[in-house]
Amino acid sequence: MAGNDDKAHKQRSVLIHAGRPASGLPVPVNPPLVRASTYLHATAEEMRATEQRRLGGAREDYYGRRGTGTSFQLEDLLTELEGGHGARLASSGLAANTLVFLAFLRPGDHLLISDGVYAPVKRFVKSYLSDQQIAFDYVRADGSDIEGRIRSNTKLIYLENPGSVLFELVDIPAIAAIAKPKGIVVAVDSTWASGVTHHPIRLGADISVLSATKYLCGASDVILGAAVANESAWKRLNETADWLGTCASPDDCYQVLRGARSAAIRIEEHRRQAMRLIEWFAGKPFVRKIYYPELEDHPRHEIWKRDFTGSCGLFTVELRGVDAASVDRFVNSLSLFGLGSSWGGFESLVRVENERTIRSIDGENYGPLVRFHAGFEDIRDLIADLDAAAVMLGKY
Ligand SMILES: *Cc1c(COP(=O)(O)O)cnc(C)c1O
């Protein structure tokens, strides 16, 4: 656990109590699921007044595309967790990511984007944004070269903390201090922390983007995303989401609200499991390196200690001295680690990454990269599974 225990304790209480009605007792612990497209209004005058407030950007029970009571509660929970001004929910994490680009970039603008972002975000930037005459440059996944790459037309710095797969950490307060005087919006994909162990807006970013599909849901059966904004970025984010018709199903919001209540203790248990698995990998002859911000040899471990209150179940192992076919045989022969994308559910997962495309600008030659998500199975069973499969990686 990082040296931020007080903050972590406060977060746990927020997770349980935020976004729940405090008055009107008795009320059910979990507020009822509200499904609606159409809301009925009492009079034409009232309906018009509600519509006017709605068009001005207010959150109203007017028409279900903007949300219902269920999604509003999840917005409130995420806003409070992240220390933002407002949140917009989207049908997927990726839809929340792209909402941010669509909100803050126009033709002629320039984007600085981390080389460590989630791969589908890179595909969006490369294809869609280029078509819109929006220029972009990658910056290192740790953000260390941002200052020299800012142009007069740079409007958005888009980061992921930590970076996907290799978990590089960025110094958000330092980057915000550079961006703010120039009026550049700073957005951070904070899915790894899921609103629980790290809060980019509290550290100076304008926007925090989350895939709620991962730990906030926690059960691998919902796709949902959110973008949370501070006060200065809120209007633009909110109106863009209205223009685009960005929305999320109340059923999915209900599931994620329920999952979020236990997210802190689940994440901590995922972390404990991951630490045990990492111990197993450490020192094995076929392991070149283990990527996990909590490890003291992480190049920016100090930032993790300063800016995070915990880690989670996700880590990547870089192998050495093994060919691609052996790596495939190794993961194929695991029986408790499912082969699958995504993470954050109760089950252990494994995925072979493409080490040749994982970073575009860092100039490193990576060995085979295998990403694990430590689930809640008995740790002895998980280790026995690894022990049995490791014969595929040679004798040790
Ligand atoms: C999974 C993920 C996303 C996309 O989320 P979906 O809900 O699957 O669309 C975005 N960013 C990061 C860092 C992710 O891990």
Side-chain angles (χ1 to χ4, degrees):
M1 188 53 83
N4 288 322
D5 281 357
D6 288 351
K7 279 193 241 163
H9 287 146
K10 176 152 186 304
Q11 273 319 98
R12 282 182 60 155
S13 305
V14 171
L15 273 166
I16 304 298
H17 290 280
R20 286 174 48 203
S23 58
L25 300 172
V27 294
V29 170
N30 288 326
L33 166 58
V34 181
R35 292 193 184 104
S37 55
T38 301
Y39 280 85
L40 301 176
H41 303 268
T43 64
E45 294 80 355
E46 273 180 38
M47 185 171 172
R48 231 175 351 256
T50 310
E51 184 183 25
Q52 280 313 311
R53 289 194 301 275
R54 183 63 207 100
L55 291 173
R59 200 173 69 174
E60 297 282 340
D61 288 337
Y62 181 72
Y63 182 61
R65 188 173 57 224
R66 173 60 188 89
T68 71
T70 308
S71 36
F72 295 161
Q73 275 153 357
L74 182 57
E75 288 175 5
D76 289 346
L77 171 65
L78 296 176
T79 302
E80 189 166 343
L81 280 173
E82 294 281 358
H85 182 76
R88 287 298 300 241
L89 304 172
S91 56
S92 69
L94 183 60
N97 296 130
T98 55
L99 170 65
V100 173
F101 297 110
L102 295 171
F104 294 98
L105 294 168
R106 295 290 179 271
D109 288 348
H110 175 246
L111 159 74
L112 285 178
I113 182 163
S114 158
D115 193 21
V117 296
Y118 181 63
V121 169
K122 286 189 170 176
R123 289 198 281 274
F124 173 80
V125 166
K126 183 161 173 254
S127 51
Y128 185 81
L129 286 190
S130 302
D131 288 350
Q132 305 300 310
Q133 282 84 49
I134 294 166
F136 69 93
D137 284 304
Y138 282 118
V139 294
R140 295 181 65 91
D142 67 3
S144 55
D145 56 346
I146 282 177
E147 190 157 19
R149 316 206 62 168
I150 291 175
R151 299 191 201 162
S152 58
N153 59 340
T154 304
K155 292 289 161 54
L156 177 66
I157 296 174
Y158 185 95
L159 307 164
E160 190 171 309
N161 200 28
S164 270
V165 184
L166 300 177
F167 311 113
E168 300 93 335
L169 291 166
V170 293
D171 189 341
I172 293 176
I175 292 165
I178 296 167
K180 202 146 277 180
K182 299 181 181 342
I184 301 170
V185 171
V186 177
V188 181
D189 185 326
S190 189
T191 299
W192 190 84
S194 289
V196 177
T197 58
H198 175 65
H199 307 99
I201 293 172
R202 296 181 196 278
L203 296 168
D206 299 290
I207 309 241
S208 175
V209 200
L210 303 167
S211 166
T213 306
K214 311 291 168 50
Y215 285 122
L216 287 167
C217 166
S220 304
D221 56 1
V222 171
I223 299 261
L224 193 75
V228 186
N230 66 8
E231 195 167 2
S232 69
W234 171 247
K235 183 170 183 293
R236 192 75 175 269
L237 182 84
N238 190 34
E239 65 189 16
T240 306
D242 282 347
W243 294 333
L244 293 173
T246 305
C247 71
S249 150
D251 293 67
D252 293 343
C253 295
Y254 185 91
Q255 300 287 355
V256 167
L257 260 175
R258 195 159 71 166
R261 305 300 179 193
S262 61
I265 54 165
R266 284 187 289 104
I267 288 174
E268 177 55 21
E269 179 60 16
H270 284 294
R271 167 195 168 268
R272 261 197 293 275
Q273 298 276 91
M275 293 296 270
R276 297 285 301 276
L277 298 180
I278 286 169
E279 274 171 32
W280 182 89
F281 278 104
K284 294 276 188 292
F286 49 78
V287 172
R288 177 159 175 234
K289 196 165 168 184
I290 299 168
Y291 296 84
Y292 192 63
E294 187 166 345
L295 297 180
E296 283 183 11
D297 68 356
H298 185 287
R300 290 189 145 190
H301 179 68
E302 290 307 314
I303 288 183
W304 176 77
K305 280 214 295 216
R306 186 191 70 188
D307 293 348
F308 288 75
T309 57
S311 44
C312 67
L314 201 64
F315 65 96
T316 297
V317 179
E318 183 181 0
L319 300 170
R320 69 172 165 206
V322 287
D323 58 17
S326 308
V327 177
D328 286 352
R329 279 196 296 274
F330 167 65
V331 300
N332 290 346
S333 63
L334 289 166
S335 56
L336 293 181
F337 292 85
L339 264 166
S341 293
S342 197
W343 41 275
F346 42 75
E347 80 287 10
S348 290
L349 290 172
V350 64
R351 216 185 107 92
V352 180
E353 303 290 341
N354 185 344
E355 68 272 10
R356 280 175 295 284
T357 57
I358 200 80
R359 296 290 177 262
S360 354
I361 60 164
D362 69 3
E364 296 280 332
N365 277 318
Y366 295 100
L369 295 167
V370 184
R371 191 187 73 180
F372 290 87
H373 179 251
F376 296 150
E377 297 89 344
D378 191 296
I379 193 68
R380 292 164 295 191
D381 294 332
L382 292 177
I383 286 175
D385 199 20
L386 290 172
D387 266 325
V391 295
M392 303 298 176
L393 299 174
K395 271 190 125 48
Y396 69 90

